[in-house]
Amino acid sequence: MFELPALPFEKSALEPHMSERTLSFHYDKHHAGYVRKLNNALEGDKRLDWSLEEVIRDAAENDDMGVFRNAAQIWNHTFFWNSLSASGGGDAPGELGSLIDRDFGSMDEFRKAFAAAAVGEFGSGWAWLLIDNGKLRVISTTDAGTPISRSMHPLLCCDVWEHAYYLDYQNDRGAFVQAFLDNLVNWDFAAANLIGQG
Ligand code: MN3
């Protein structure tokens, strides 16, 4: 059985940038729903004893989209909560800041690239900062797409499904992504994901 990981902060902790109401729906309904649906889909299946990452990679390889979507959405959401912090935003510290300068030119150029990927993803999806072959890159993925099924190493992500921002920003995904970059992005989490990858 897969379990819903606890949120790493109180649901009101990210206000006013992400409301308690948004987190109540997003975590209690959407994230919990993916866990419930995956457990139902795998009832009596040996994959219930695998790690979530193993289930995701196996489902991607075998085009088992029903299992892939729910498993990847569980993983992506847990990673997203950890990409957020009440004291987040601003510039990346230390070595990560240096790598961003090296691979994007500057923090501002990184922010522009990340916002463009997040806003430019046509439908529901995700924006990611990740390491691909030793280089930092920004990508977006569609629907439940996740870089861990493609041997890329994510550092942080932003959920750009409408359920992530509609209650707080209505249709203005750009304003949500700006609030994420300015006030929420957890650089300590991203820097911790860099360890052993540089
Ligand atoms: Mn979501």
Side-chain angles (χ1 to χ4, degrees), residues 99-120:
L99 289 178
I100 285 175
D101 287 343
R102 183 194 74 183
D103 293 341
F104 294 96
S106 67
M107 270 306 298
D108 275 344
E109 290 302 316
F110 157 74
R111 277 190 275 266
K112 276 185 211 162
F114 191 90
V119 173

Side-chain angles (χ1 to χ4, degrees), residues 26 30 34 73 77 126 159 161 163-164:
H26 201 169
H30 293 279
Y34 298 126
Q73 284 293 79
H77 279 87
W126 300 82
D159 186 344
W161 286 54
H163 65 226

